[in-house]
Amino acid sequence: MRPRGSLLKQVIRQRELFFMVIPVMIYVFIFSYLPLRGWLMAFQFFRPGRDVQEWAGLHHFRFLFTDPVFFRVMRNTLGMSIINLVLGFSCAIFLALMINEIRRRLFKRVVQTISYLPHFLSWVIASAMVADFLASGGILNRILMALGFISEPNIFMANADYFWWIIGWSNIWKSVGWNTIIYLAAISSIDPELYESAELDGAGRFARMWHITLPGIKSTILVLVILQIGWILNAGFEMQFLLSNDLTISTAETIDVFVIRYGIAQRNFSLGTAMGMFKTVVSIILLTGANLFAKRFAKEGLM
């Protein structure tokens, strides 16, 4: 155990850093911890404007865990989250490796800029672009018909089986360029002499990427994976809400869409709070478990 005096000396020595953290701590306390008082609504039959609320106990949680819609929503959320997790990390790492191998600086900047641009589009504009791209007269159907893969347009947005993959690839298109920033920053910290030594030993580009670049950013990848696992129940809301319809609702409804439609829209605030509380508790458990697993088997973690 560290002596109390040494800890105090370290705080005094790094006082500038602690002062920089204070505004962030105040922000998190106001907007993340004070609202936790609202969790009481999950145990009440909450009605706005009433001074005294009727207690419901675990009624809303029992309703969730016996409602077939809830299990369908959980299936959709986990399915889309796993697709986003696998595609998001693999595509971002691959793009970062490819961009790092570009030697012409101007072309490298152009590629980075083009890959970043979709991140700055609002989800409303992005969903409209995706819908136009996948429409019966859209670009994708025209390309497939021109190549002879299909004889008539495919209505992608009316097929529930396609919806998870539509969301997954749409998220990749919108966020893959932005996600590469962290990996490129981690790659830039690798000692260039390692690449020079490997090149002298006859290692090609792919060998250098496999034996130097990927091991060099392993800790960054691991930390980001752990954090993303903690958000696995946040499959999204905007794209699912904007792109879904009556034909795809069975695979499009996520936890956040469920909260909006069955909680806030129907003024059942207690049910929405119970769902949000469940999601938060599960996320904390997943984050803690993933961190312990990484520290046990990979010898690295968040702390």
Side-chain angles (χ1 to χ4, degrees), residues 21-36:
V21 172
I22 288 176
V24 179
M25 295 175 61
I26 295 174
Y27 174 85
V28 171
F29 177 77
I30 294 175
F31 293 100
S32 297
Y33 285 96
L34 286 182
L36 291 180

Side-chain angles (χ1 to χ4, degrees), residues 179-213:
N179 292 339
T180 59
I181 294 176
I182 297 177
Y183 298 116
L184 289 172
I187 291 173
S188 65
S189 65
I190 299 176
D191 189 355
E193 293 184 358
L194 296 175
Y195 293 102
E196 296 174 1
S197 301
E199 189 173 0
L200 290 175
D201 290 338
R205 283 194 174 188
F206 289 102
R208 294 196 297 270
M209 282 191 290
W210 183 259
H211 295 288
I212 297 177
T213 308

Side-chain angles (χ1 to χ4, degrees), residues 244-303:
S244 64
N245 52 59
D246 293 338
L247 298 175
T248 60
I249 192 64
S250 61
T251 57
E253 201 170 32
T254 60
I255 290 179
D256 296 325
V257 177
F258 179 90
V259 170
I260 292 293
R261 287 180 173 168
Y262 299 97
I264 297 176
Q266 298 184 11
R267 299 179 63 82
N268 192 349
F269 303 111
S270 296
L271 181 64
T273 304
M275 177 65 85
M277 185 176 177
F278 165 78
K279 188 173 74 169
T280 301
V281 172
V282 172
S283 297
I284 293 174
I285 294 173
L286 289 174
L287 179 63
T288 305
N291 185 50
L292 292 175
F293 182 85
K295 291 178 68 175
R296 181 178 180 85
F297 294 98
K299 307 303 180 183
E300 293 186 39
L302 296 179
M303 61 182 70

Side-chain angles (χ1 to χ4, degrees), residues 3-4 32 38 58 80 101 135-136 152 195 203 234-235 237 269 296:
R4 185 174 301 178
S32 297
L58 299 176
M80 281 184 268
E101 292 300 317
S136 58
E152 59 182 17
Y195 293 102
N234 290 275
F237 164 73
F269 303 111
R296 181 178 180 85

Side-chain angles (χ1 to χ4, degrees), residues 204-233:
R205 283 194 174 188
F206 289 102
R208 294 196 297 270
M209 282 191 290
W210 183 259
H211 295 288
I212 297 177
T213 308
L214 284 176
I217 62 174
K218 183 185 71 173
S219 58
T220 302
I221 295 174
L222 189 62
V223 169
L224 293 177
V225 168
I226 293 173
L227 292 175
Q228 191 62 36
I229 289 176
W231 287 88
I232 202 166
L233 292 185

Side-chain angles (χ1 to χ4, degrees), residues 132-146 150 156:
D132 289 340
F133 180 77
L134 298 175
S136 58
I139 298 174
L140 182 58
N141 272 310
R142 293 182 182 180
I143 293 174
L144 294 177
M145 292 177 66
I150 57 176
F156 294 100

Side-chain angles (χ1 to χ4, degrees), residues 39-47 50 52-64 268-274:
W39 276 10
L40 286 175
M41 289 191 294
F43 305 97
Q44 300 171 338
F45 293 107
F46 181 79
R47 294 293 180 269
R50 291 186 181 181
V52 180
Q53 302 293 337
E54 180 183 357
W55 289 98
L58 299 176
H59 170 79
H60 301 294
F61 294 97
R62 285 195 294 266
F63 172 79
L64 286 176
N268 192 349
F269 303 111
S270 296
L271 181 64
T273 304

